[in-house]
Amino acid sequence: MPWQLSLSGELAGVSAEALLAGMAPMPEDTPAPTAPEALLCADKPNWYLLAYGDQRPVPPQAQLARGRAGLALVFSQLQKSGEGARVIAPHRQGVLALDITPAAEGIVCRELLMDGRWDANPDFGPVLRRARQHCPQPAAVLMPGSGADNRLERLMPFFGEMAGWTGSDVPWQFAEAGMALETAGALFTWAWMAQGLAWGQWQGDAVVVELDDSPMMGLAVVRWQGSEG
């Protein structure tokens, strides 16, 4: 099922549209002007995407997903229900929301994988191997974080499982480069990726890697599907 993705909200006074355009940096000392509750949607299911360990209360009209990998869980639920949803990710400087809407054309999630161990050191090797079976050589790999944080360090022990994803003809994309979006970066990266696929920046399958300080990893194999199928 194709999905259209639309990003809204703002961080440090910078709109989601401006962030996607790469127009404005985020001042670190700007406080959050918008409460997450202000973006709750009355006509579709709501999800809160919170950082692992974030204990803030979740409104009764929203479901909870934790960590960047939680977004793969949300997409998996929507694939089963066929319904759209709004995913809301609070940030210390604001809030972002991603509307996921069924459509005639849009991104198609060919595979959604999520793995890890809540009570032990996670081994991401099995989920990487399964993803490579479905997508041996992607058009692009969307990496979590800015490239200057610790996300790559967590992946380093598993680089041997990423054969076919690391050559010069497979670009690694860091949508959040130069920004510190934390868990909200998952919403930004998916919207940025969908925009690139719609514009034809990449042809074929893209892989989205979702990894942060939680013990879970999410992986998605995604491509663009036009209205002609």
Side-chain angles (χ1 to χ4, degrees), residues 164-209:
W165 290 7
T166 56
S168 59
D169 53 348
V170 181
W172 284 20
Q173 303 287 334
F174 292 88
E176 303 157 54
M179 298 184 283
L181 301 187
E182 301 164 358
T183 306
L187 307 190
F188 176 84
T189 290
W190 275 78
W192 187 87
M193 176 267 299
Q195 179 176 272
L197 288 172
W199 291 351
Q201 184 174 349
W202 311 291
Q203 301 292 329
D205 293 334
V207 171
V208 187
V209 179

Side-chain angles (χ1 to χ4, degrees), residues 102-149:
E105 65 176 17
I107 66 160
V108 174
C109 298
R110 296 186 58 234
E111 296 294 335
L112 288 164
L113 304 171
M114 185 175 173
D115 203 358
R117 299 183 179 131
W118 291 108
D119 57 352
N121 291 327
D123 179 4
F124 299 136
V127 71
L128 288 165
R129 288 193 292 272
R130 293 203 306 272
R132 281 176 47 225
Q133 290 174 0
H134 298 295
C135 186
Q137 189 171 14
V141 178
L142 281 295
M143 300 298 291
S146 65
D149 47 32

Side-chain angles (χ1 to χ4, degrees), residues 20-46:
L20 285 172
M23 294 172 57
M26 295 195 312
E28 285 296 325
D29 57 353
T30 305
T34 305
E37 293 78 6
L39 293 184
L40 287 167
C41 192
D43 59 357
K44 65 178 68 173
N46 295 278

